[in-house]
Amino acid sequence: MNLYDSRILLVDDNIELADMVHDMLRRNGYANVSCAHTCEEAMRVFRGESPQLVILDIMLPDGDGFTLLRRIRDISDVPILFLSAKDEDNDRLFGLGLGADDYITKPFLSQELLLRVNVVLKRTYFPSTRMPYSSGGNVPGGSVNRSGDPHFPDSGFSPSAPGEPDVLILGEHRISFAEASVTFRGKTTSFTAKELQLLRKLAQNRGNIVTFDALCMAVWGDSYYGYENTLMVHIRHIREKIEDDPSSPKWLLTVRGLGYRLKKEEKTDEKPF
């Protein structure tokens, strides 16, 4: 079995949203996706199909997702991802405290949900697989290279394209990859080699999430394990050089639990569900 053979149960009373998520997962390689719209229907499908991942809404017509999670936990340790409009910290912490594996709030980007599904399944069933995409998988708006790293051709930046300047513009910050520097209001600051590698990786995938694994591998190669904390330090230093307010970044954004994203100039990179 590979990642995309995994059986997924989606539980949401919003039929239109459930259909969109179902279709998105199928378009990206997941063929075994079932839907349920109530707690009782979810339990019937769960007992009949033994899914390997449950994507679960909190507000359901005949109960709530927290109670349903408890019922599932009585018979299975299957990973559960909450997908809910409830964005209160207490709800998030309560769901995770009950044993949920992740929690994502509506509205959400389809790419973020897909990445979280991949990460949870990989962590649970394929722990030896480093990247959240298999070499034959699809990613929204892009492809996967031989290292298992997602590549997005429409990122708006190609630093190695022949004849094009090796420059990235972030508001008033002008970044030169050739000179390993950023210029802001007449002042030029240099990047370290690792900062430049990380920024180049993010720029090549601008507008899309780049996972922690992908960033670490871009800098430290196959022996990247254990560098996660070091990565955070480098990201902080990059923000100090490219952000007006590094503590409230506008360009280099954290995607909780997944990685980082270099924001595009547009107001939104993708229409949320």
PDB file of all heavy atoms in Angstrom, residues 56-81:
ATOM      1  N   LEU A  56     -12.884  15.487  10.431  1.00  0.00           N
ATOM      2  CA  LEU A  56     -14.093  15.580  11.234  1.00  0.00           C
ATOM      3  C   LEU A  56     -14.470  17.025  11.551  1.00  0.00           C
ATOM      4  O   LEU A  56     -13.650  17.784  12.080  1.00  0.00           O
ATOM      5  CB  LEU A  56     -13.866  14.789  12.535  1.00  0.00           C
ATOM      6  CG  LEU A  56     -14.951  14.742  13.590  1.00  0.00           C
ATOM      7  CD1 LEU A  56     -16.225  14.151  13.010  1.00  0.00           C
ATOM      8  CD2 LEU A  56     -14.467  13.907  14.777  1.00  0.00           C
ATOM      9  N   ASP A  57     -15.723  17.404  11.225  1.00  0.00           N
ATOM     10  CA  ASP A  57     -16.252  18.702  11.623  1.00  0.00           C
ATOM     11  C   ASP A  57     -16.712  18.623  13.078  1.00  0.00           C
ATOM     12  O   ASP A  57     -16.989  17.538  13.599  1.00  0.00           O
ATOM     13  CB  ASP A  57     -17.433  19.075  10.717  1.00  0.00           C
ATOM     14  CG  ASP A  57     -17.882  20.511  10.903  1.00  0.00           C
ATOM     15  OD1 ASP A  57     -17.125  21.302  11.503  1.00  0.00           O
ATOM     16  OD2 ASP A  57     -18.989  20.838  10.440  1.00  0.00           O
ATOM     17  N   ILE A  58     -16.814  19.769  13.750  1.00  0.00           N
ATOM     18  CA  ILE A  58     -17.268  19.775  15.141  1.00  0.00           C
ATOM     19  C   ILE A  58     -18.785  19.876  15.229  1.00  0.00           C
ATOM     20  O   ILE A  58     -19.436  19.123  15.955  1.00  0.00           O
ATOM     21  CB  ILE A  58     -16.611  20.930  15.921  1.00  0.00           C
ATOM     22  CG1 ILE A  58     -15.107  20.663  16.082  1.00  0.00           C
ATOM     23  CG2 ILE A  58     -17.256  21.096  17.294  1.00  0.00           C
ATOM     24  CD1 ILE A  58     -14.360  21.758  16.811  1.00  0.00           C
ATOM     25  N   MET A  59     -19.382  20.806  14.472  1.00  0.00           N
ATOM     26  CA  MET A  59     -20.824  21.031  14.552  1.00  0.00           C
ATOM     27  C   MET A  59     -21.547  20.098  13.587  1.00  0.00           C
ATOM     28  O   MET A  59     -21.459  20.247  12.372  1.00  0.00           O
ATOM     29  CB  MET A  59     -21.147  22.496  14.219  1.00  0.00           C
ATOM     30  CG  MET A  59     -20.404  23.497  15.098  1.00  0.00           C
ATOM     31  SD  MET A  59     -20.746  23.290  16.857  1.00  0.00           S
ATOM     32  CE  MET A  59     -22.458  23.795  16.907  1.00  0.00           C
ATOM     33  N   LEU A  60     -22.272  19.121  14.140  1.00  0.00           N
ATOM     34  CA  LEU A  60     -23.012  18.151  13.345  1.00  0.00           C
ATOM     35  C   LEU A  60     -24.466  18.131  13.814  1.00  0.00           C
ATOM     36  O   LEU A  60     -24.755  18.436  14.974  1.00  0.00           O
ATOM     37  CB  LEU A  60     -22.376  16.763  13.472  1.00  0.00           C
ATOM     38  CG  LEU A  60     -20.951  16.654  12.906  1.00  0.00           C
ATOM     39  CD1 LEU A  60     -20.283  15.369  13.357  1.00  0.00           C
ATOM     40  CD2 LEU A  60     -20.975  16.736  11.382  1.00  0.00           C
ATOM     41  N   PRO A  61     -25.409  17.760  12.929  1.00  0.00           N
ATOM     42  CA  PRO A  61     -26.829  17.902  13.275  1.00  0.00           C
ATOM     43  C   PRO A  61     -27.306  17.008  14.416  1.00  0.00           C
ATOM     44  O   PRO A  61     -28.271  17.352  15.100  1.00  0.00           O
ATOM     45  CB  PRO A  61     -27.549  17.559  11.962  1.00  0.00           C
ATOM     46  CG  PRO A  61     -26.559  16.803  11.154  1.00  0.00           C
ATOM     47  CD  PRO A  61     -25.214  17.338  11.533  1.00  0.00           C
ATOM     48  N   ASP A  62     -26.668  15.870  14.636  1.00  0.00           N
ATOM     49  CA  ASP A  62     -27.132  14.953  15.690  1.00  0.00           C
ATOM     50  C   ASP A  62     -26.099  14.778  16.806  1.00  0.00           C
ATOM     51  O   ASP A  62     -26.096  13.785  17.518  1.00  0.00           O
ATOM     52  CB  ASP A  62     -27.480  13.591  15.090  1.00  0.00           C
ATOM     53  CG  ASP A  62     -26.297  12.956  14.369  1.00  0.00           C
ATOM     54  OD1 ASP A  62     -25.334  13.683  14.044  1.00  0.00           O
ATOM     55  OD2 ASP A  62     -26.325  11.736  14.130  1.00  0.00           O
ATOM     56  N   GLY A  63     -25.237  15.761  16.960  1.00  0.00           N
ATOM     57  CA  GLY A  63     -24.215  15.676  18.004  1.00  0.00           C
ATOM     58  C   GLY A  63     -23.077  16.620  17.696  1.00  0.00           C
ATOM     59  O   GLY A  63     -23.234  17.603  16.972  1.00  0.00           O
ATOM     60  N   ASP A  64     -21.903  16.327  18.240  1.00  0.00           N
ATOM     61  CA  ASP A  64     -20.740  17.167  17.964  1.00  0.00           C
ATOM     62  C   ASP A  64     -19.522  16.291  17.718  1.00  0.00           C
ATOM     63  O   ASP A  64     -19.489  15.115  18.104  1.00  0.00           O
ATOM     64  CB  ASP A  64     -20.471  18.132  19.121  1.00  0.00           C
ATOM     65  CG  ASP A  64     -20.119  17.415  20.404  1.00  0.00           C
ATOM     66  OD1 ASP A  64     -18.948  17.005  20.560  1.00  0.00           O
ATOM     67  OD2 ASP A  64     -21.010  17.229  21.258  1.00  0.00           O
ATOM     68  N   GLY A  65     -18.529  16.897  17.064  1.00  0.00           N
ATOM     69  CA  GLY A  65     -17.334  16.149  16.691  1.00  0.00           C
ATOM     70  C   GLY A  65     -16.523  15.659  17.871  1.00  0.00           C
ATOM     71  O   GLY A  65     -15.875  14.615  17.802  1.00  0.00           O
ATOM     72  N   PHE A  66     -16.559  16.398  18.988  1.00  0.00           N
ATOM     73  CA  PHE A  66     -15.815  15.966  20.173  1.00  0.00           C
ATOM     74  C   PHE A  66     -16.358  14.642  20.711  1.00  0.00           C
ATOM     75  O   PHE A  66     -15.606  13.720  21.035  1.00  0.00           O
ATOM     76  CB  PHE A  66     -15.890  17.036  21.265  1.00  0.00           C
ATOM     77  CG  PHE A  66     -15.259  18.342  20.888  1.00  0.00           C
ATOM     78  CD1 PHE A  66     -15.865  19.542  21.249  1.00  0.00           C
ATOM     79  CD2 PHE A  66     -14.069  18.391  20.184  1.00  0.00           C
ATOM     80  CE1 PHE A  66     -15.285  20.757  20.920  1.00  0.00           C
ATOM     81  CE2 PHE A  66     -13.476  19.598  19.846  1.00  0.00           C
ATOM     82  CZ  PHE A  66     -14.088  20.783  20.214  1.00  0.00           C
ATOM     83  N   THR A  67     -17.697  14.546  20.775  1.00  0.00           N
ATOM     84  CA  THR A  67     -18.316  13.303  21.248  1.00  0.00           C
ATOM     85  C   THR A  67     -18.065  12.165  20.260  1.00  0.00           C
ATOM     86  O   THR A  67     -17.789  11.026  20.660  1.00  0.00           O
ATOM     87  CB  THR A  67     -19.827  13.498  21.450  1.00  0.00           C
ATOM     88  OG1 THR A  67     -20.039  14.561  22.379  1.00  0.00           O
ATOM     89  CG2 THR A  67     -20.475  12.230  21.981  1.00  0.00           C
ATOM     90  N   LEU A  68     -18.148  12.489  18.971  1.00  0.00           N
ATOM     91  CA  LEU A  68     -17.893  11.468  17.956  1.00  0.00           C
ATOM     92  C   LEU A  68     -16.460  10.968  18.039  1.00  0.00           C
ATOM     93  O   LEU A  68     -16.192   9.773  17.884  1.00  0.00           O
ATOM     94  CB  LEU A  68     -18.196  12.034  16.564  1.00  0.00           C
ATOM     95  CG  LEU A  68     -18.016  11.077  15.390  1.00  0.00           C
ATOM     96  CD1 LEU A  68     -18.839   9.805  15.564  1.00  0.00           C
ATOM     97  CD2 LEU A  68     -18.389  11.776  14.075  1.00  0.00           C
ATOM     98  N   LEU A  69     -15.512  11.871  18.295  1.00  0.00           N
ATOM     99  CA  LEU A  69     -14.117  11.452  18.453  1.00  0.00           C
ATOM    100  C   LEU A  69     -13.992  10.453  19.607  1.00  0.00           C
ATOM    101  O   LEU A  69     -13.292   9.443  19.485  1.00  0.00           O
ATOM    102  CB  LEU A  69     -13.224  12.670  18.697  1.00  0.00           C
ATOM    103  CG  LEU A  69     -11.716  12.397  18.848  1.00  0.00           C
ATOM    104  CD1 LEU A  69     -10.905  13.562  18.295  1.00  0.00           C
ATOM    105  CD2 LEU A  69     -11.315  12.165  20.304  1.00  0.00           C
ATOM    106  N   ARG A  70     -14.680  10.729  20.724  1.00  0.00           N
ATOM    107  CA  ARG A  70     -14.617   9.795  21.854  1.00  0.00           C
ATOM    108  C   ARG A  70     -15.157   8.419  21.472  1.00  0.00           C
ATOM    109  O   ARG A  70     -14.599   7.381  21.853  1.00  0.00           O
ATOM    110  CB  ARG A  70     -15.407  10.357  23.035  1.00  0.00           C
ATOM    111  CG  ARG A  70     -14.774  11.571  23.719  1.00  0.00           C
ATOM    112  CD  ARG A  70     -15.514  11.853  25.017  1.00  0.00           C
ATOM    113  NE  ARG A  70     -15.033  13.046  25.692  1.00  0.00           N
ATOM    114  CZ  ARG A  70     -15.648  14.224  25.635  1.00  0.00           C
ATOM    115  NH1 ARG A  70     -16.746  14.363  24.920  1.00  0.00           N
ATOM    116  NH2 ARG A  70     -15.158  15.273  26.298  1.00  0.00           N
ATOM    117  N   ARG A  71     -16.266   8.404  20.719  1.00  0.00           N
ATOM    118  CA  ARG A  71     -16.845   7.120  20.297  1.00  0.00           C
ATOM    119  C   ARG A  71     -15.882   6.354  19.399  1.00  0.00           C
ATOM    120  O   ARG A  71     -15.729   5.134  19.519  1.00  0.00           O
ATOM    121  CB  ARG A  71     -18.178   7.355  19.577  1.00  0.00           C
ATOM    122  CG  ARG A  71     -19.273   7.917  20.460  1.00  0.00           C
ATOM    123  CD  ARG A  71     -20.519   8.231  19.659  1.00  0.00           C
ATOM    124  NE  ARG A  71     -21.138   7.019  19.087  1.00  0.00           N
ATOM    125  CZ  ARG A  71     -22.184   7.042  18.274  1.00  0.00           C
ATOM    126  NH1 ARG A  71     -22.718   8.221  17.914  1.00  0.00           N
ATOM    127  NH2 ARG A  71     -22.681   5.924  17.808  1.00  0.00           N
ATOM    128  N   ILE A  72     -15.216   7.078  18.500  1.00  0.00           N
ATOM    129  CA  ILE A  72     -14.242   6.430  17.621  1.00  0.00           C
ATOM    130  C   ILE A  72     -13.052   5.928  18.426  1.00  0.00           C
ATOM    131  O   ILE A  72     -12.560   4.806  18.217  1.00  0.00           O
ATOM    132  CB  ILE A  72     -13.794   7.398  16.507  1.00  0.00           C
ATOM    133  CG1 ILE A  72     -14.957   7.687  15.551  1.00  0.00           C
ATOM    134  CG2 ILE A  72     -12.599   6.825  15.741  1.00  0.00           C
ATOM    135  CD1 ILE A  72     -14.659   8.762  14.526  1.00  0.00           C
ATOM    136  N   ARG A  73     -12.609   6.732  19.393  1.00  0.00           N
ATOM    137  CA  ARG A  73     -11.450   6.343  20.195  1.00  0.00           C
ATOM    138  C   ARG A  73     -11.732   5.107  21.051  1.00  0.00           C
ATOM    139  O   ARG A  73     -10.814   4.402  21.457  1.00  0.00           O
ATOM    140  CB  ARG A  73     -11.028   7.504  21.095  1.00  0.00           C
ATOM    141  CG  ARG A  73     -10.198   8.562  20.373  1.00  0.00           C
ATOM    142  CD  ARG A  73      -8.787   8.049  20.111  1.00  0.00           C
ATOM    143  NE  ARG A  73      -8.032   8.998  19.275  1.00  0.00           N
ATOM    144  CZ  ARG A  73      -7.885   8.881  17.972  1.00  0.00           C
ATOM    145  NH1 ARG A  73      -8.441   7.860  17.339  1.00  0.00           N
ATOM    146  NH2 ARG A  73      -7.179   9.754  17.291  1.00  0.00           N
ATOM    147  N   ASP A  74     -13.013   4.824  21.336  1.00  0.00           N
ATOM    148  CA  ASP A  74     -13.351   3.615  22.093  1.00  0.00           C
ATOM    149  C   ASP A  74     -13.038   2.345  21.311  1.00  0.00           C
ATOM    150  O   ASP A  74     -12.854   1.279  21.905  1.00  0.00           O
ATOM    151  CB  ASP A  74     -14.839   3.613  22.472  1.00  0.00           C
ATOM    152  CG  ASP A  74     -15.153   4.600  23.589  1.00  0.00           C
ATOM    153  OD1 ASP A  74     -14.209   4.984  24.314  1.00  0.00           O
ATOM    154  OD2 ASP A  74     -16.329   4.975  23.728  1.00  0.00           O
ATOM    155  N   ILE A  75     -12.981   2.468  19.976  1.00  0.00           N
ATOM    156  CA  ILE A  75     -12.780   1.264  19.156  1.00  0.00           C
ATOM    157  C   ILE A  75     -11.558   1.345  18.243  1.00  0.00           C
ATOM    158  O   ILE A  75     -11.189   0.351  17.609  1.00  0.00           O
ATOM    159  CB  ILE A  75     -14.031   0.973  18.288  1.00  0.00           C
ATOM    160  CG1 ILE A  75     -14.367   2.167  17.380  1.00  0.00           C
ATOM    161  CG2 ILE A  75     -15.225   0.635  19.179  1.00  0.00           C
ATOM    162  CD1 ILE A  75     -15.531   1.913  16.430  1.00  0.00           C
ATOM    163  N   SER A  76     -10.926   2.523  18.149  1.00  0.00           N
ATOM    164  CA  SER A  76      -9.826   2.656  17.183  1.00  0.00           C
ATOM    165  C   SER A  76      -8.901   3.806  17.560  1.00  0.00           C
ATOM    166  O   SER A  76      -9.331   4.796  18.159  1.00  0.00           O
ATOM    167  CB  SER A  76     -10.392   2.901  15.780  1.00  0.00           C
ATOM    168  OG  SER A  76      -9.362   3.198  14.855  1.00  0.00           O
ATOM    169  N   ASP A  77      -7.625   3.683  17.177  1.00  0.00           N
ATOM    170  CA  ASP A  77      -6.644   4.752  17.329  1.00  0.00           C
ATOM    171  C   ASP A  77      -6.378   5.454  16.002  1.00  0.00           C
ATOM    172  O   ASP A  77      -5.335   6.084  15.816  1.00  0.00           O
ATOM    173  CB  ASP A  77      -5.327   4.192  17.878  1.00  0.00           C
ATOM    174  CG  ASP A  77      -5.453   3.763  19.329  1.00  0.00           C
ATOM    175  OD1 ASP A  77      -6.216   4.418  20.059  1.00  0.00           O
ATOM    176  OD2 ASP A  77      -4.798   2.773  19.717  1.00  0.00           O
ATOM    177  N   VAL A  78      -7.319   5.364  15.062  1.00  0.00           N
ATOM    178  CA  VAL A  78      -7.152   5.982  13.743  1.00  0.00           C
ATOM    179  C   VAL A  78      -6.850   7.470  13.906  1.00  0.00           C
ATOM    180  O   VAL A  78      -7.413   8.139  14.781  1.00  0.00           O
ATOM    181  CB  VAL A  78      -8.416   5.765  12.892  1.00  0.00           C
ATOM    182  CG1 VAL A  78      -9.623   6.465  13.529  1.00  0.00           C
ATOM    183  CG2 VAL A  78      -8.222   6.251  11.467  1.00  0.00           C
ATOM    184  N   PRO A  79      -5.946   8.044  13.109  1.00  0.00           N
ATOM    185  CA  PRO A  79      -5.695   9.489  13.193  1.00  0.00           C
ATOM    186  C   PRO A  79      -6.928  10.293  12.794  1.00  0.00           C
ATOM    187  O   PRO A  79      -7.663   9.916  11.882  1.00  0.00           O
ATOM    188  CB  PRO A  79      -4.532   9.718  12.224  1.00  0.00           C
ATOM    189  CG  PRO A  79      -4.503   8.526  11.344  1.00  0.00           C
ATOM    190  CD  PRO A  79      -5.048   7.389  12.140  1.00  0.00           C
ATOM    191  N   ILE A  80      -7.152  11.399  13.514  1.00  0.00           N
ATOM    192  CA  ILE A  80      -8.326  12.251  13.285  1.00  0.00           C
ATOM    193  C   ILE A  80      -7.869  13.689  13.136  1.00  0.00           C
ATOM    194  O   ILE A  80      -7.088  14.196  13.948  1.00  0.00           O
ATOM    195  CB  ILE A  80      -9.324  12.127  14.447  1.00  0.00           C
ATOM    196  CG1 ILE A  80      -9.897  10.702  14.487  1.00  0.00           C
ATOM    197  CG2 ILE A  80     -10.452  13.153  14.315  1.00  0.00           C
ATOM    198  CD1 ILE A  80     -10.832  10.436  15.655  1.00  0.00           C
ATOM    199  N   LEU A  81      -8.365  14.335  12.091  1.00  0.00           N
ATOM    200  CA  LEU A  81      -8.048  15.731  11.808  1.00  0.00           C
ATOM    201  C   LEU A  81      -9.339  16.531  11.905  1.00  0.00           C
ATOM    202  O   LEU A  81     -10.291  16.272  11.166  1.00  0.00           O
ATOM    203  CB  LEU A  81      -7.430  15.849  10.411  1.00  0.00           C
ATOM    204  CG  LEU A  81      -6.829  17.180   9.962  1.00  0.00           C
ATOM    205  CD1 LEU A  81      -5.837  16.935   8.814  1.00  0.00           C
ATOM    206  CD2 LEU A  81      -7.894  18.164   9.469  1.00  0.00           C
TER     207      LEU A  81
END
